[in-house]
Amino acid sequence: MNGWLQIAVFFALVLLAAKPIGLYMARVYGREKTWLDPVLGPVERLLYRMTGVDPNEEMRWTQYASAVLVFSLATMLLTYAVERLQHWLPLNPQHLGAVEPYLAWNTAASFTTNTNWQSYVPETTMSYLTQMFGLATHMFWSAAMGMALAIAFIRGIARREMKTLGNFWVDLTRGTLWVLAPLCVVYALALVSQGVVQNLRPYDTATLVEPQHVTTTGTDGKTSTTVVTTQTIAQGPVASEEAIKMLGTNGGGFFNTNSAHPFENPTPLTNLMEMFSIFLIPAGLVVTLGRMVGSPAHGWAIFAAMAVLWFAGVLTCYWAEAQPNPLLHGVDQRVSMTSSGGNMEGKEVRFGVANSALFATVTTDASCGAVNAMHDSFMPLGGMVPLVNILLGEIVFGGVGAGMYGMLIFVVLTVFIAGLMVGRTPEYLGKKVQAYDVQLSMLYLLIFPLIILGFSAVSVLSHGFGTSSLANHGPHGLSEILYAYTSATGNNGSAFAGLNANTHWYNVSLGIAMLAGRFLMIVPMLAVAGNLVTKKIAPASLGTFPVTSTLFTVLLTSVILIVGALTFFPALSLGPVLEHLLLRAGTSF
């Protein structure tokens, strides 16, 4: 009951915050007056003068897509250069060397696409300058880009008989200045008040209370023992990066253990704050949609579909993790005053099963990728929930911006199916959905499984470079590989662990998956928006399928589940489902 109460409090906070932040963003992107205008207006105008941007010049969808691609390429090259040159640059008190080329490529692609996949240990690989200027800036840019793309799609729905979707540079600037930056300033200070570290000091060295004896085996087979008497305590500008990491649904941690590290997530309150901040902007964008298209009820109908899918994931994950591990015989795994019970492997005691399951569900419903527990240690069905969340396209509230336009693609498909069911030309808010819209929507949906299943198949069949770095075999090993490519293509960034991805094959292939999963899907999405914006709006009739009803919510949810199930169920049945059955039979991997 305590766990369910905490989950209910979390969702109540999201529900309460969705409307005010959503209405505020509608004003920001509609260029209406806000209370921050006196401070940020001059900054915005200065930026336009410096860059030669005309804020009143709008773009067709092809121009908008071109601007997105050019900006992403330029900033990706900048980040790659910073990584490769960090040993010559300032703010490197630990004197860390240059990041090797394959890893630098993978990381630059990762942060450019809002994935934040990390095939490295951040505190021993990246200098403070690289963390702040190379990576944290991308967390702002990629998040603001996702929001801009969502707003462009919404304009495509809301406008009639036009050719333009807005100005990318204006949308990018306003999302950064008016939404992300102010929230991050307040959020970072709140995190610092709870004990999250924020400094530029060199790492500290502490003397261990009890020396540790570490035994290693060399290549010649001989063992040697070393006595360890000190510990290096990493620190740095953590709170400022943590704020945009969560608000921008980025997920890349300052430390290797991410939000399980006490310097990133020290208390139950910060844990609640971090989960809440992941959903804050995505939930608000649903309200922004309703406001901008003139149908608030439509926005809430989509919100309801997201909430149903979210609750189904939390219910399954929490139930699975609250069950005792059948292979641990003679161990008391019951809930008591001194034990949370269930499967505590890979979880922080200060968060317990409920908040670990909730965090895992929230971070993969969105394209965040931050973790406060290790998904590899979850029970098979518990670990399947984060995997399924990403496989559905992370549209359950989703990543900042990306979840919104991904869900709208499903809305277009749902309206089309509803039209076929009643024998009428499908309409979406008065606009006819035609073959071109459906073809591009299906292209958007098919790119995703093609990349994930293609790369996973190659890796599974290639022992020399695919399975050689697995820590586990059998169905669990398949889950580790499948999760890696799902996380990369879905721009999530969380890892199932158990797979050493810092190899040439995985660094290159995962980098390609990240770029393809971001940009190959943006182009057809903008093409749909560009086609919708040119259409007339016909008045509703008796045969119009309402997109504000409970029936619409049920149909939308069903379409999402059917598309996901038909596409990925065979892979899931060979991975977590089979592992669950074998675990019950007494087999582990």
Side-chain angles (χ1 to χ4, degrees):
M1 184 57 67
N2 179 277
W4 285 116
L5 178 61
Q6 293 184 65
I7 292 171
V9 168
F10 161 77
F11 187 72
L13 289 173
V14 173
L15 186 61
L16 289 172
K19 186 172 182 179
I21 188 67
L23 295 178
Y24 172 73
M25 287 190 291
R27 297 185 66 86
V28 168
Y29 288 106
R31 302 178 74 174
E32 302 174 35
K33 187 176 181 179
T34 71
W35 62 278
L36 285 174
D37 287 9
V39 176
L40 298 177
V43 177
E44 181 186 29
R45 291 189 291 272
L46 177 62
L47 286 173
Y48 295 154
R49 284 198 297 269
M50 291 173 60
T51 55
V53 171
D54 180 0
N56 297 314
E57 180 183 353
E58 295 214 342
M59 299 176 173
R60 297 171 181 260
W61 81 264
T62 50
Q63 295 171 303
Y64 207 100
S66 298
V68 168
L69 296 175
V70 168
F71 178 76
S72 299
L73 176 62
T75 53
M76 178 177 168
L77 293 175
L78 174 64
T79 297
Y80 180 83
V82 171
E83 292 181 80
R84 296 289 293 133
L85 300 174
Q86 74 171 12
H87 56 303
W88 289 335
L89 298 174
L91 291 178
N92 186 6
Q94 298 307 118
H95 306 291
L96 300 174
V99 181
E100 67 94 11
Y102 285 94
L103 181 59
W105 139 262
N106 179 278
T107 306
S110 175
F111 281 79
T112 299
T113 57
N114 198 248
T115 308
N116 303 104
W117 173 273
Q118 295 171 293
S119 295
Y120 58 91
V121 178
E123 58 265 46
T124 61
T125 307
M126 303 295 178
S127 69
Y128 290 164
L129 183 72
T130 303
Q131 292 270 29
M132 293 187 294
F133 182 67
L135 306 184
T137 51
H138 258 307
M139 293 185 183
F140 279 95
W141 294 332
S142 62
M145 181 189 301
M147 294 160 64
L149 290 165
I151 295 299
F153 199 115
I154 293 172
R155 289 195 189 110
I157 300 168
R159 293 178 174 182
R160 66 183 74 180
E161 297 181 81
M162 295 182 64
K163 296 181 179 179
T164 59
L165 298 173
N167 186 310
F168 169 71
W169 306 113
V170 173
D171 293 339
L172 182 75
T173 302
R174 294 188 70 82
T176 304
L177 290 181
W178 266 263
V179 182
L180 295 175
L183 286 173
C184 283
V185 170
V186 176
Y187 188 14
L189 291 174
L191 290 174
V192 169
S193 75
Q194 292 297 301
V196 178
V197 173
Q198 179 73 17
N199 61 46
L200 296 174
R201 293 172 45 188
Y203 295 172
D204 287 328
T205 302
T207 301
L208 297 179
V209 175
E210 182 179 344
Q212 300 294 308
H213 297 267
V214 180
T215 302
T216 58
T217 302
T219 55
D220 57 357
K222 296 182 179 179
T223 59
S224 60
T225 301
T226 304
V227 179
V228 179
T229 59
T230 61
Q231 177 185 359
T232 300
I233 301 177
Q235 56 199 307
V238 181
S240 56
E241 185 172 313
E242 190 74 10
I244 187 59
K245 158 193 164 183
M246 310 308 287
L247 278 166
T249 61
N250 291 281
F254 194 94
F255 299 102
N256 190 42
T257 51
N258 207 278
S259 287
H261 197 291
F263 283 0
E264 286 197 32
N265 189 10
T267 68
L269 178 58
T270 60
N271 194 63
L272 175 61
M273 291 165 58
E274 293 189 9
M275 291 187 294
F276 170 73
S277 60
I278 294 173
F279 269 7
L280 177 62
I281 294 176
L285 278 170
V286 182
V287 178
T288 304
L289 165 71
R291 172 68 179 273
M292 292 182 69
V293 302
S295 179
H298 175 53
W300 288 113
I302 293 178
F303 187 98
M306 293 176 170
V308 168
L309 292 169
W310 167 80
F311 182 76
V314 172
L315 175 65
T316 305
C317 192
Y318 188 20
W319 170 83
E321 294 309 300
Q323 304 302 309
N325 189 321
L327 298 186
L328 296 180
H329 303 292
V331 178
D332 186 1
Q333 300 178 66
R334 296 172 298 175
V335 177
S336 68
M337 294 296 292
T338 57
S339 172
S340 61
N343 174 36
M344 278 297 293
E345 181 191 335
K347 298 178 178 66
E348 278 291 318
V349 175
R350 66 185 188 276
F351 303 140
V353 172
N355 279 286
S356 298
L358 176 59
F359 201 113
T361 305
V362 168
T363 197
T364 50
D365 279 335
S367 63
C368 184
V371 295
N372 74 346
M374 298 302 105
H375 298 174
D376 191 47
S377 294
F378 280 26
M379 301 294 283
L381 297 185
M384 185 177 71
V385 170
L387 179 58
V388 169
N389 285 342
I390 310 175
L391 289 172
L392 291 178
E394 295 173 305
I395 52 172
V396 184
F397 296 103
V400 168
M404 186 72 259
Y405 63 71
M407 176 59 88
L408 289 174
I409 291 291
F410 273 107
V411 169
V412 170
L413 188 59
T414 300
V415 170
F416 173 73
I417 293 173
L420 294 180
M421 293 170 67
V422 298
R424 285 178 54 90
T425 301
E427 293 180 2
Y428 178 34
L429 293 174
K431 294 187 173 183
K432 294 188 183 298
V433 176
Q434 298 168 312
Y436 181 78
D437 305 305
V438 177
Q439 289 165 359
L440 287 172
S441 297
M442 287 309 302
L443 176 62
Y444 176 97
L445 295 175
L446 291 173
I447 289 171
F448 195 59
L450 178 64
I451 300 169
I452 294 171
L453 299 178
F455 276 125
S456 296
V458 172
S459 298
V460 166
L461 295 174
S462 305
H463 177 72
F465 56 82
T467 61
S468 58
S469 56
L470 277 176
N472 304 94
H473 297 282
H476 195 81
L478 173 61
S479 296
E480 290 171 349
I481 292 176
L482 182 65
Y483 194 103
Y485 286 108
T486 301
S487 179
T489 309
N491 302 138
N492 183 272
S494 64
F496 211 59
L499 170 69
N500 175 21
N502 192 13
T503 65
H504 288 351
W505 164 249
Y506 282 111
N507 278 329
V508 172
S509 61
L510 289 170
I512 293 171
M514 294 171 203
L515 293 171
R518 178 77 160 181
F519 299 112
L520 285 185
M521 298 174 76
I522 282 174
V523 174
M525 179 275 296
L526 282 175
V528 173
N531 191 47
L532 289 174
V533 78
T534 64
K535 297 183 177 184
K536 299 177 181 180
I537 294 181
S541 65
L542 291 176
T544 301
F545 179 66
V547 292
T548 59
S549 63
T550 302
L551 177 61
F552 168 75
T553 298
V554 172
L555 185 58
L556 175 59
T557 305
S558 302
V559 168
I560 293 168
L561 292 175
I562 290 170
V563 169
L566 291 177
T567 306
F568 294 108
F569 182 74
L572 293 172
S573 64
L574 293 173
V577 173
L578 177 58
E579 184 186 358
H580 169 76
L581 297 175
L582 291 174
L583 183 68
R584 293 294 170 184
T587 303
S588 64
F589 299 93

